[in-house]
Amino acid sequence: MIAVENISAGYGRRKVLSDMNLLFCEGAMTAVLGPNGSGKTTLVSSISGVLNPLSGQIKVAGKNVRDYRPRELAEIMSVLPQKVEPAFGLTVKSMVMMGRYAHGSGFFGYDAEDENICAEAIQRVGITHLKDRPVSELSGGEFQRVLMARTVSQQSKIMVLDEAASGVDVAGKIELFDMLKTLNKQGATIICVIHDLNLASLYFDRLVFLSEGRAVLDGPPADVITKDNISNVYKTSVSIVEHPELGVPQVLFSPSGDFTL
C-alpha cells in the first residue's frame, strides 16, 4: 500500500535519509524505532506528504503522495505529527471534530453521523470526561489523547503516527496501544514512530530500526530484538529477556556506571 522508493530527504542542505527503500503492506502494523536524529520523523513526514523528498518517491495506493490533493489524501491517511500546539479557544470535542474535515464540507458541514463518530472516538481514547474542556487547559498527556481521538475520528485506512503516546502515563499507553491493535485487526494499516522498545515488541508485528538515516534492521520482534542488534543501534549495553506471559523479547538497559545498591 505504501512504497518508499529510493528516497533521500532532509532540510535545506542537510540530508537526513539516504537512499531508503521500504514497503508497508496493507493491514500491517509497523513500528519505526531508532536513536534521536536517526530520521524517524523525517521518514513519516515524507510518507505523509508533509516533506518533499530530495530524490526518489513515495507511492500511496500506487500514486505518488505528492499528487494527492490534501483532502483526497486525508480520506485515506490520517496523520498524528510529533508536535502540535493546543489551539486557544477550542474545546476537546471541537478539536476531535476537525478529524472529520475530509468527510464533510468544513467547520459548518458536520452532521449527526460526524457527531456520533467523534463521540465514539472520544470514548475509545478515554477522554469523555474532558470533551467540553478547552484544550489549552489540558496536561500534555491529556492533549496527546485528544490528538489521537482526532486521528481515530478521521477513519482513514492508513494511520501515520509520530510518537502517538508521548507524555501519556503507563496505563494510558497500554489503553492507546490496545486500541491501535484493535483498529489494526479491523483493517487499519498503522505506521508508528515509538521510542519504547518493549511496547513495540508487545504490540507491533514488524519493527524497522533507523540509524544515521538508513534502515538497519527490519523484521518481527523475535528476529530483530537481540542483544547485539540493540546494543549496536543504540550504542549502549542491554540484556534481552522473554516476556513471562507473551514470550516476546523485552529489553533491559544497564547503567554505564557502578550504581550497585
Side-chain angles (χ1 to χ4, degrees), residues 2 22 24-25 41 53 56 86 96 106 119 123 133 138 150 164 171 182 186 200 204 223 229 255:
I2 300 176
L22 290 168
F24 299 94
C25 296
T41 293
V96 175
Q123 187 273 329
R133 290 262 303 273
L138 302 180
R150 184 182 69 178
T182 298
Q186 294 171 350
F204 291 83
D223 290 349
N229 283 345

Side-chain angles (χ1 to χ4, degrees), residues 72-178:
E72 181 187 12
L73 184 61
E75 288 179 355
I76 62 173
M77 180 189 293
S78 55
V79 179
L80 196 164
Q82 186 183 68
K83 295 179 181 179
V84 178
E85 293 297 325
F88 183 79
L90 281 182
T91 64
V92 167
K93 179 181 177 181
S94 297
M95 191 156 193
V96 175
M97 284 290 289
M98 293 171 66
R100 302 300 300 160
Y101 164 76
H103 305 278
S105 57
F107 284 101
F108 303 102
Y110 302 129
D111 57 19
E113 181 182 10
D114 294 317
E115 292 271 359
N116 291 335
I117 289 170
C118 286
E120 181 182 353
I122 287 171
Q123 187 273 329
R124 293 187 79 162
V125 177
I127 54 171
T128 302
H129 62 294
L130 300 174
K131 65 184 179 66
D132 297 319
R133 290 262 303 273
V135 294
S136 58
E137 295 180 4
L138 302 180
S139 70
E142 290 171 334
F143 182 61
Q144 193 70 15
R145 284 173 174 256
V146 175
L147 296 178
M148 178 60 78
R150 184 182 69 178
T151 304
V152 171
S153 75
Q154 202 168 324
Q155 292 191 321
S156 303
K157 293 182 178 179
I158 304 169
M159 301 177 72
V160 179
L161 314 170
D162 195 350
E163 298 189 37
S166 175
V168 179
D169 62 38
V170 174
K173 287 180 180 180
I174 296 298
E175 291 175 2
L176 288 180
F177 284 110
D178 280 350

Side-chain angles (χ1 to χ4, degrees), residues 8-258:
S8 294
Y11 309 92
R13 295 182 179 181
R14 184 170 65 91
K15 184 185 291 187
V16 178
L17 300 180
S18 300
D19 305 321
M20 183 169 291
N21 290 279
L22 290 168
L23 182 65
F24 299 94
C25 296
E26 184 174 356
M29 188 161 176
T30 305
V32 180
L33 306 100
N36 292 334
S38 58
K40 302 182 297 297
T41 293
T42 302
L43 175 61
V44 296
S45 295
S46 300
I47 289 173
S48 63
V50 173
L51 182 65
N52 193 20
L54 302 172
S55 61
Q57 64 177 349
I58 293 176
K59 290 183 178 179
V60 177
K63 180 177 177 179
N64 192 312
V65 70
R66 305 296 299 180
D67 293 336
Y68 282 94
R69 298 187 302 276
R71 195 164 192 160
E72 181 187 12
L73 184 61
E75 288 179 355
I76 62 173
M77 180 189 293
S78 55
V79 179
L80 196 164
Q82 186 183 68
K83 295 179 181 179
V84 178
E85 293 297 325
F88 183 79
L90 281 182
T91 64
V92 167
K93 179 181 177 181
S94 297
M95 191 156 193
V96 175
M97 284 290 289
M98 293 171 66
R100 302 300 300 160
Y101 164 76
H103 305 278
S105 57
F107 284 101
F108 303 102
Y110 302 129
D111 57 19
E113 181 182 10
D114 294 317
E115 292 271 359
N116 291 335
I117 289 170
C118 286
E120 181 182 353
I122 287 171
Q123 187 273 329
R124 293 187 79 162
V125 177
I127 54 171
T128 302
H129 62 294
L130 300 174
K131 65 184 179 66
D132 297 319
R133 290 262 303 273
V135 294
S136 58
E137 295 180 4
L138 302 180
S139 70
E142 290 171 334
F143 182 61
Q144 193 70 15
R145 284 173 174 256
V146 175
L147 296 178
M148 178 60 78
R150 184 182 69 178
T151 304
V152 171
S153 75
Q154 202 168 324
Q155 292 191 321
S156 303
K157 293 182 178 179
I158 304 169
M159 301 177 72
V160 179
L161 314 170
D162 195 350
E163 298 189 37
S166 175
V168 179
D169 62 38
V170 174
K173 287 180 180 180
I174 296 298
E175 291 175 2
L176 288 180
F177 284 110
D178 280 350
M179 180 197 66
L180 287 177
K181 194 67 175 180
T182 298
L183 291 172
N184 174 247
K185 289 181 177 179
Q186 294 171 350
T189 301
I190 297 174
I191 302 170
C192 181
V193 171
I194 180 172
H195 281 287
D196 192 318
L197 303 180
N198 293 328
L199 282 178
S201 181
L202 287 172
Y203 285 97
F204 291 83
D205 309 311
R206 177 190 180 195
L207 310 182
V208 176
F209 285 84
L210 306 187
S211 180
E212 298 180 351
R214 299 181 184 276
V216 294
L217 297 170
D218 186 351
D223 290 349
V224 297
I225 295 186
T226 68
K227 180 180 176 69
D228 288 343
N229 283 345
I230 302 305
S231 294
N232 288 336
V233 169
Y234 289 94
K235 312 302 181 189
T236 191
S237 178
V238 301
S239 298
I240 307 297
V241 299
E242 186 177 281
H243 191 282
E245 296 177 4
L246 302 177
V248 297
Q250 299 284 277
V251 182
L252 303 179
F253 291 91
S254 302
S256 57
D258 184 8

